[in-house]
Amino acid sequence: MQQHETHAGHTPHAGHTGDAHGHHEVHGHTHAPAGATWPTAVRATLHCLTGCAIGEVLGMVIGTALGWGNTPTTVLAIALAFFFGYSLTLRGILTAGVGFRTAFRVALAADTLSIAVMELIDNGVIALWPSAMDAKLADAVFWFSLAVSLVIAFAVTTPVNKWMIGRGKGHAVVHRYHH
């Protein structure tokens, strides 16, 4: 089976084939996937951060505007973060001509751990930030604490994504569908 994708910056060449486990055969020798680079991990994390931030901000704005308490607002924000995170990945995979069922499974495999880590860190920072949980939309602490929490979540999630990509998991799975 001829591979048309790249793994962690490695460009396939003639005689290069891969198996279902992400190993590559080059001229009769099998090699594990190359380790991920930091730029690759940063791009994957920025992709994840975009979906998480859209969902997180929208959930917090909706919950706060409706006068909901902290728990339902946080649950909505997390649910929307997962929804938008998966949706951005699905859009890219579906554009490559992959069927919805396969694309959905790929999005789950690619993004679940990344989004979960990002949400854990992001919401943990907000929960620990003095007065952030009680801030209203018009309060500077609402927006500042949210921005700082997303930056911290990005910093923590990037090494997680690098580790996963280096093992052929996470966004490495998505890259198989990009030509």
Side-chain angles (χ1 to χ4, degrees):
M1 162 175 97
Q2 183 68 31
Q3 298 259 336
H4 297 287
E5 69 275 6
T6 62
H7 293 278
H10 178 78
T11 305
H13 57 279
H16 180 139
T17 59
D19 67 13
H21 300 291
H23 293 81
H24 304 285
E25 185 179 315
V26 179
H27 307 292
H29 301 285
T30 302
H31 301 278
T37 63
W38 283 108
T40 301
V42 165
R43 283 190 302 276
T45 308
L46 283 172
H47 179 268
C48 179
L49 179 68
T50 301
C52 286
I54 291 168
E56 191 77 25
V57 170
L58 186 58
M60 292 182 127
V61 166
I62 290 170
T64 302
L66 294 176
W68 289 1
N70 290 334
T71 299
T73 297
T74 301
V75 169
L76 176 63
I78 292 169
L80 289 175
F82 273 92
F83 174 79
F84 282 101
Y86 289 142
S87 294
L88 289 178
T89 299
L90 269 173
R91 184 192 69 187
I93 299 168
L94 290 170
T95 300
V98 176
F100 181 81
R101 187 176 205 172
T102 299
F104 186 72
R105 285 193 304 247
V106 169
L108 290 177
D111 289 340
T112 300
L113 182 60
S114 182
I115 295 171
V117 169
M118 192 161 287
E119 286 302 300
L120 178 69
I121 300 302
D122 171 46
N123 285 288
V125 169
I126 295 289
L128 294 174
W129 193 294
S131 71
M133 292 296 284
D134 299 318
K136 303 295 181 215
L137 293 177
D139 298 336
V141 71
F142 177 91
W143 297 103
F144 186 71
S145 63
L146 182 58
V148 170
S149 72
L150 289 171
V151 168
I152 294 169
F154 173 82
V156 172
T157 307
T158 299
V160 172
N161 281 331
K162 184 177 185 300
W163 177 79
M164 288 178 19
I165 292 167
R167 280 147 188 79
K169 307 289 184 199
H171 272 262
V173 177
V174 173
H175 291 275
R176 294 178 190 146
Y177 295 94
H178 292 237
H179 298 283

